[in-house]
Amino acid sequence: MSLFVIGNFVTFTAPTGAVQRWQNFFTEGAVSFNGQNWNLLPFVYRGAQKTRGGDNISSQLLLPANPLTLNWVQDAVNSSWMVEVETYQLTDTYSPGSRLGHEFWIATGLGYNTQAVELQLSSALDALGAQAPNARITHEMVGALPSTGAIRSG
């Protein structure tokens, strides 16, 4: 029987520019990876899930329930922290091997009970609940652009 172990590196960036880096697999202290130190935070990452209507993509981080975690998650949601999640398949020595996913989120909500605090993450391009980041597409970026909304077939 083969063993498939995955681990997550999560980077939280506050609007002030303050950065926190966490990982959920190496329990012997901080891990150095890609020139950064990642401290242990016991969490479960639930990857991307699309809503039934297809209008938004979300995911969750589950953390242990305690006052410190709840206050930290409330701060993340109230300040709309950006969250970057990288998922790796780990080697036999628990070092990152193949990258399986790389996602960007915004902290948008929380839920909690006596056992866990759930940090809800949403796509930055939420079609209903938030505004998409402003961007202007130019000819230099993408090539030929249509000048009308008319569509012809054939």
Side-chain angles (χ1 to χ4, degrees):
M1 180 169 96
S2 63
L3 185 61
F4 187 78
V5 181
I6 61 171
N8 302 103
F9 290 99
V10 180
T11 303
F12 291 91
T13 306
T16 62
V19 175
Q20 298 178 35
R21 292 181 177 84
W22 305 98
Q23 50 85 17
N24 67 347
F25 58 89
F26 191 74
T27 61
E28 303 299 320
V31 171
S32 181
F33 180 66
N34 283 345
Q36 304 292 334
N37 285 328
W38 306 79
N39 292 309
L40 175 67
L41 179 67
F43 66 87
V44 174
Y45 175 63
R46 292 184 180 165
Q49 304 161 3
K50 186 186 281 190
T51 59
R52 183 171 272 192
D55 56 357
N56 196 12
I57 298 175
S58 65
S59 67
Q60 299 85 32
L61 283 176
L62 296 177
L63 302 134
N66 60 54
L68 180 64
T69 302
L70 184 56
N71 288 334
W72 183 73
V73 168
Q74 283 177 328
D75 189 29
V77 172
N78 292 338
S79 301
S80 297
W81 287 1
M82 291 184 56
V83 182
E84 178 182 359
V85 180
E86 293 183 81
T87 303
Y88 285 85
Q89 180 178 357
L90 303 178
T91 65
D92 293 341
T93 59
Y94 289 92
S95 60
S98 302
R99 186 165 76 176
L100 304 175
H102 189 193
E103 301 157 344
F104 293 91
W105 304 101
I106 295 175
T108 56
L110 69 98
Y112 62 95
N113 59 34
T114 58
Q115 297 179 345
V117 176
E118 178 182 293
L119 174 58
Q120 299 164 0
L121 307 171
S122 293
S123 168
L125 299 176
D126 181 353
L128 297 178
Q131 301 217 358
N134 293 331
R136 181 181 173 113
I137 298 174
T138 64
H139 179 270
E140 291 77 22
M141 293 168 60
V142 297
L145 293 169
S147 58
T148 70
I151 298 174
R152 295 186 312 182
S153 63

